[in-house]
Amino acid sequence: MQEAIPYKSHNGGGRSPLHYSLEGADNGGGRRLVTNGSETSVRKLVVENAVIVFGRRGCCMSHVVNRLLLGLGANPAVCEVDEEKEEAVLNELSIINGGGIQFPVVFTGGKLFGGLDRVMSTHITGELVPILKEAGALWL
Amino acid sequence: MDFPSTQFVSSRTMGTYEPIHQIGMWGENFKSISNPNISASVIVDVANKLENESETTSHEMLASTSKHDQEASKPFDKIQRRLAQNREAARKSRLRKKAYVQQLEISRLKLIQLEQELERSRQQGLYVGGGLDTGHLGISGAVNSGIAAFEMGYERWMEEQNKQICELRSALNAQISDIELRILVESGMSHYFELFRMKSSVAKADVFYVMSGKWKTSAERFFSWIGGFRPSELLKVLVPQIDPLTDQQILDVFNLKQSCQQAEDALSQGMEKLRETVSATLASDQMGQGIYVPQVAMAMEKLEALVRFVNQADHLRQQTLQQMSYILTTRQAARGLLALGEYIQRLQALSTLCANHPREPA
């Protein structure tokens, strides 16, 4: 099995022909990571990053999450998941956290944080920034 | 083993035999979109797998007794490979299904447009422009009824809203107790949450209807952001009405305003990305092929994200309302709700005024 190499910039490389990719599409910022969907790869990403966002490649909702976190000064790791890996990665994440998971999903400090709903709610109540600080994703 | 004739089931649940059958199933509908060589190699792989199955099982039985350690990984590898091949075949099947569905969407589009033309030519002379966009027959019946239900619901909602505003006004003037005021505040908030639920429901039927704000008056539409008001704008309007605030409250409100602004910015940028994606998808290669092309169906898929945006925007509005109710005292919250209600009423009055204002021809 191949190990995913973190911090390597991704390249899709001719996958699903039905999946339209934009030239120079950006994910809203953040450090891009790749995963091959294996258990070790996914776990590693979750554990090694203070804050990481898993989302479908080219998804606008992931973009929203990334922009919001960036705007707060966090530098989230972003894992864009290809369509074919989607199921595998979702499975792995669900196993790690014993529950149903949907994209986009955020992990902080190695633990599940939540989806866009939770990010928005905690942001409005002011709880998000302290949580990010505690996870080491944000410094004064 | 029985092979079901029409099933869209992942091969993972059915074992190695499934991949071949699924590939055959989509063959007729498949229009050679993906690389045929890859498909062929998968079929060959699986075929080989099936042939070798019987041999390897007996091999395994012999080998396991002698070289136990080395062979322990072998069946594991075979299983892993089989699973990987199943996943691959399942993925191919899903892609083929997707292509088929897109062809269906194109046909549906043709059908709707043909119906529209038919209707138009039938009503020639009687057709009045400026009606609802959703004048389709048959296929869009569900959409029509969803919108009709919403419009009726909204009319009732507005009546109830105006009633509540009157009650708030008299309650604040009459100096009723905080407990009674709290009840009014709670029902005021619930009433707004009810509206968000209604909007979410109709957005599933026709998201453009919600985005367009057709159900609101023109002046309200002027301030529209993703199907409603911008929370930060409303805060700017309301906070001066709620004076005096304590220092802590001023700080909390300021932070809330800032959080709203950040959340709105993130959503706006997401919307911008969605526009770019849809636009690029529509225009992707092969212009000059007419309008009945896969690009249109593909763009429609992407546009489904718009429903999530509407829901997120309303979620933001709801959270902001909620947070304000935590920051403010009961009396302040009541004043805030009254101010909000009256502000919207004034916007509606403005719309009526603009609509009826006589204009001299230039």
Side-chain angles (χ1 to χ4, degrees), chain B residues 25 49 55 72 88 96 98 102 121 166 175 180-181 185 205-206 226 282 294 317 331:
Chain B
M25 215 165 47
K49 204 89 217 57
E55 293 171 312
E88 181 63 28
R96 267 178 279 266
K98 203 168 166 188
Q102 285 181 352
S121 49
C166 285
Q175 315 262 338
E180 286 165 316
L181 207 51
V185 167
D206 186 345
I226 313 187
L282 268 182
R317 291 173 187 117
R331 198 151 290 267

Side-chain angles (χ1 to χ4, degrees), chain B residues 121-246:
Chain B
S121 49
R122 248 192 247 138
Q123 290 182 359
Q124 231 163 35
L126 299 172
Y127 184 77
V128 180
L132 294 174
D133 284 347
T134 51
H136 309 149
L137 309 170
I139 288 180
S140 310
V143 174
N144 271 341
S145 66
I147 290 176
F150 176 82
E151 289 186 334
M152 271 198 327
Y154 184 66
E155 208 177 304
R156 265 182 275 128
W157 188 91
M158 214 60 227
E159 282 169 14
E160 174 65 25
Q161 176 74 351
N162 292 332
K163 217 173 62 172
Q164 285 190 2
I165 292 171
C166 285
E167 275 175 11
L168 270 172
R169 203 180 290 127
S170 28
L172 283 167
N173 286 336
Q175 315 262 338
I176 67 170
S177 73
D178 265 14
I179 299 175
E180 286 165 316
L181 207 51
R182 186 82 227 160
I183 296 173
L184 287 180
V185 167
E186 290 295 328
S187 43
M189 305 252 297
S190 306
H191 199 56
Y192 280 113
F193 300 166
E194 175 62 34
L195 178 61
F196 297 142
R197 270 194 298 275
M198 286 164 55
K199 282 169 73 182
S200 174
S201 190
V202 75
K204 285 192 204 115
D206 186 345
V207 69
F208 286 116
Y209 176 76
V210 178
M211 285 289 297
S212 71
K214 272 184 193 152
W215 42 287
K216 292 184 156 195
T217 62
S218 41
E220 290 175 275
R221 250 177 275 146
F222 176 56
F223 288 97
S224 186
W225 172 80
I226 313 187
F229 288 106
R230 245 183 218 275
S232 60
E233 267 179 15
L234 287 183
L235 284 179
K236 281 192 207 117
V237 164
L238 300 182
V239 169
Q241 308 288 324
I242 311 179
D243 274 347
L245 298 169
T246 66

Side-chain angles (χ1 to χ4, degrees), chain B residues 70 73 77 98 102 153 197 202 208 228 237 258 271 293 323 351 355:
Chain B
Q70 283 187 13
S73 60
D77 276 344
K98 203 168 166 188
Q102 285 181 352
R197 270 194 298 275
V202 75
F208 286 116
V237 164
Q258 206 178 37
M271 284 284 283
V293 288
Q323 188 67 6
S351 306

Side-chain angles (χ1 to χ4, degrees), chain B residues 236-257:
Chain B
K236 281 192 207 117
V237 164
L238 300 182
V239 169
Q241 308 288 324
I242 311 179
D243 274 347
L245 298 169
T246 66
D247 284 344
Q248 182 61 45
Q249 285 179 325
I250 292 173
L251 182 61
D252 288 339
V253 167
F254 173 78
N255 287 334
L256 179 59
K257 234 185 267 180

